[in-house]
Amino acid sequence: MTHSSQRRGLDPSGACKELCIIGMIPRSAFKKRGIKSAMCQLARKMLAHAPDNFIFRDFTEITIPNLGASQKLLKWLHKYRPGAANHVVLWILAHTRSGLSAVYTDIDAVKELIEDLAGDWRGRNKKKRWPVSIVLSGLPEDIHACCQQAGLVEHTYLHSLDVFGTVENLPSEDELSLITMCGHGLVASARVKHLVERIRKGKLTPQKAAADIAKPCVCGIVNKQRAEAIFARLASNADSEG
């Protein structure tokens, strides 16, 4: 999946610590009868296996386009019936989006999730001819381990060959590792530098900086645990240089 294949900074030392999962239906099948129920089930299964981040994870801050006056009802539910609100949001996500995404920091959780999806959920989709695709993004050996446990075989691998050309003006490798966590380019280089400076001055913690850059990435694949460690390292390096 191209919007997650540009992630940088994950090497064998980070094995089993970062896996993105994306479930998608082609636009041509978006209005296919019944397929949204498969996406609802997918969303619930993804959340049941405790992702570190999830598409529109902070349900209480969601403003859903074109919801109109119903947005007030959703906010009321958030306040007084949070469980019901989450159920409604998942239903809306599944019925308005062709993709659901999350990032996990525990490979065992992903193995269990893929094994779960490979069972009745996948069988029902095949029977109903619902073309829901599951894409995993991470270290190849981690992906292979997840598929192997579920009795599946990967049919396609997508690799990024790196960035070429005039690269001397690119941000540092640690900064790129943060910026590329959002494949839609919503983590800005200037924002990263600003947050590092605030951490260095003691005005912000690395944990809060990680949460900050995760907010604009609505697809929910910013790994906040890894981002926190990178922010701490960048601020430490800035201190030593100063």
Side-chain angles (χ1 to χ4, degrees):
M1 181 63 182
T2 54
H3 93 291
S4 59
S5 66
Q6 305 299 323
R7 295 168 86 87
R8 302 176 73 97
L10 189 64
D11 55 41
S13 66
C16 307
K17 295 180 180 177
E18 180 172 304
L19 276 157
C20 300
I21 181 168
I22 305 166
M24 299 176 293
I25 53 177
R27 270 294 172 183
S28 59
F30 192 70
K31 295 183 179 180
K32 196 174 182 69
R33 184 177 179 181
I35 197 169
K36 305 299 172 50
S37 66
M39 295 298 278
C40 277
Q41 288 180 346
L42 175 60
R44 293 192 183 98
K45 288 178 182 293
M46 290 167 74
L47 284 172
H49 288 83
D52 182 63
N53 201 357
F54 180 74
I55 184 170
F56 288 139
R57 181 61 180 268
D58 193 349
F59 297 137
T60 61
E61 294 185 3
I62 294 176
T63 299
I64 299 173
N66 304 320
L67 200 57
S70 299
Q71 186 72 47
K72 291 183 179 180
L73 172 61
L74 192 56
K75 288 182 178 180
W76 184 91
L77 285 173
H78 280 315
K79 186 174 182 179
Y80 298 105
R81 300 286 189 277
N86 288 353
H87 179 80
V88 170
V89 170
L90 287 181
W91 187 90
I92 293 172
L93 283 176
H95 283 74
T96 59
R97 298 184 67 88
S98 57
L100 299 172
S101 48
V103 64
Y104 294 80
T105 54
D106 178 6
I107 191 173
D108 290 332
V110 181
K111 286 179 179 179
E112 292 171 4
L113 172 58
I114 298 302
E115 198 167 18
D116 186 9
L117 294 175
D120 293 342
W121 182 81
R122 177 170 175 253
R124 181 174 176 237
N125 291 351
K126 291 181 71 175
K127 183 178 179 180
K128 297 286 188 178
R129 301 178 67 85
W130 293 338
V132 185
S133 298
I134 299 296
V135 177
L136 284 175
S137 182
L139 294 174
E141 54 268 32
D142 288 345
I143 295 169
H144 179 70
C146 292
C147 294
Q148 190 175 43
Q149 178 160 316
L152 303 173
V153 178
E154 316 90 290
H155 62 75
T156 304
Y157 271 97
L158 173 65
H159 289 274
S160 172
L161 296 179
D162 209 344
V163 179
F164 298 90
T166 307
V167 297
E168 55 267 21
N169 293 326
L170 285 175
S172 70
E173 193 60 36
D174 271 341
E175 289 171 333
L176 284 173
S177 295
L178 293 169
I179 294 165
T180 58
M181 280 190 189
C182 177
H184 293 104
L186 297 179
V187 178
S189 174
R191 185 64 180 172
V192 168
K193 292 180 185 296
H194 171 71
L195 293 172
V196 169
E197 184 63 16
R198 293 198 69 200
I199 296 169
R200 190 185 69 79
K201 291 179 178 179
K203 296 181 178 180
L204 192 71
T205 64
Q207 183 180 30
K208 288 185 177 180
D212 184 284
I213 66 165
K215 284 183 179 180
C217 180
V218 293
C219 51
I221 59 172
V222 167
N223 181 346
K224 290 180 284 186
Q225 288 189 28
R226 183 158 70 96
E228 181 180 347
I230 295 171
F231 270 119
R233 185 163 61 244
L234 282 169
S236 177
N237 290 342
D239 283 336
S240 62
E241 290 171 3

